[in-house]
Amino acid sequence: MAQRKKIGLIFASGSLLSIKGNKSIFFVDQEKDIEQWLSEVPEVRLIAEIQTYFLQGEGEQFELASIERILEILSRESANHDGFVVLVRGEQMIRAAAAVEFMLQGFGKPVIFTGSRYSPQAIAYQDIRKIVKMGGLGLRSNLINAAQIAVSEDFPATAIMYGNKIMKPTHAAVNDFQAMNLYRSVDDDYLGKIDFGISLSRKKIPVAPAASLRTQFAPGVFFTESMYLENNAAFAGKPGKGKEPILVLKLRQNETVPLERLEQLKARYRTVVLFNEYYVLDHTGVSILSRLTWPAAEMKVRWAHTVYPDRVEFEQALSRDVIRESIQV
Amino acid sequence: MRIFISTHIKAPDDVVLHQKLLQELKALGVSIITNLDMKKGEFESSGFGGLDAVVIDGAADVAEVGYILAIALANKRPVLYLLPKGTLIDASVEALTKNADVRRLLRIIFYTSDTLILKIKQFLQYLDQNIGRESFSIKYTLRLSPRLDRYLTWRAGKVKKNKANFLRDWVNDLMQSDEEYKKRLE
């Protein structure tokens, strides 16, 4: 066999495995569970030497701080591994992976996200076989495929590996919660696919400049999907003396913000960003963000706010296609 | 029977041996996919889940060997891991054999160029035997005339079986007594 490579395996939820012939489950809730967990997937050590990093167990809430901890480990341990596999549970995976795409531009090594789709609390014993039959606990194969991609030559990309598809996180969306492929790429363009091996499309990896790694998000970005909820944290109370930095308001298609409401928002926030996946109608004095998925929009705004405190530079960054995150029609 | 063969070609002799192997196995009615075909992009995504077994030439000095072994085991496929006589087994593969679940699926065999085809045939014969509990995972649509259905219902009822179990047992008995079928892999 070829010389062994090294992978950093980060546990940040998403570790639920079916074991003992699908009669039981096992997951990492504390650091001491990792050894037994790895003994349940001994095949993964065939691919590379594995060094593990425990960030959080299945019982903990996955928050923005969890993503920052992933960024911090990747940044700190970059030189020690050929690539990384990050386990995150299904519902948070796109956000976390999109954050890595923006915040660790020019990272230069594969960072492959995968993980289980279910929380252990959501699995009853009598459902295990049914879920496995539907392909729902396929972490074992996903992990092995992710590990193999993480040691691939010339694939310095952040990607999501799930089912038989490898995709760019900023283009990923939940496909079908029951299907083998939990995610799809919204433009039907994939970084690779699995059949009897892994085929990677290296030409689709964005060329990033030399590493400028960010591991902490600047505070002060608010996201909301409704402009009418008065008790929404984004609108509650009267504006203070200093303006809050940024509000990102998700609009429905062809929705406009009434002038009076727009003025209220501009009085409270330094920058108001209006977002829709496809198109935002013209509004005066605000930033517009479209042709992005919602998780990609969230992470693009957080990244731009972190890197460009200056409002003009921030708005310029939002208008650029920074990491090929825009969905081309 | 559908198997995946992971092999490598280093010398002209390997080409001859590989072609001979494929010819012999195809003559036995085995459907074969190899990693060499895969590189031609011939296959759509059905993956290892649809295979009956995987045969790996462990002597290949490529990273893909570890991956193919890992993904085959993860998909619970029986694996024949072949090593040229006198070769040292890789430490990571040896470590795997300590796991009881893996031991059930993985057979590690040493071969020479004279015995390679024989060893693979023996593995296929081993698979063809009744190994543990079979799962009835293949689904058919069977169309019958009302007359045949009346008979099947009557006959299955007589032996207190449902129609599906009656047909399964009948096919199994037929297979057990079919000497021509049993000899096909020899």
Side-chain angles (χ1 to χ4, degrees), chain A residues 1-4 20-21 39-40 42-47 140-141 144-145 148 164 193-198, chain B residues 4 33 38 43-48 51 61 63 65-67 69-71 73-75 81 90 92-93 96 99:
Chain A
M1 283 190 189
Q3 192 181 355
R4 290 176 67 70
K20 301 191 187 304
S39 75
E40 297 290 351
E43 308 95 318
V44 74
R45 290 192 198 272
L46 288 170
I47 293 166
R140 207 175 289 267
S141 298
I144 288 161
N145 285 324
Q148 180 69 4
N164 61 4
K193 63 169 190 164
I194 314 286
D195 40 40
F196 288 105
I198 298 170
Chain B
F4 181 89
I33 300 156
M38 194 179 75
F43 298 100
E44 292 302 315
S45 55
S46 52
F48 280 78
L51 296 169
D61 187 24
V65 169
Y67 168 69
L69 177 56
I71 200 74
L73 292 173
N75 280 283
Y81 190 83
D90 188 278
S92 58
V93 177
L96 264 186
N99 182 295

Side-chain angles (χ1 to χ4, degrees), chain A residues 12-15 27-30 54 56-62 89 119-121:
Chain A
S13 76
S15 63
F27 51 90
V28 172
D29 222 10
Q30 303 170 63
F54 177 76
Q56 67 177 74
E58 297 291 342
E60 293 173 65
Q61 193 76 24
F62 194 91
R89 201 158 58 229
S119 156
Q121 289 88 340

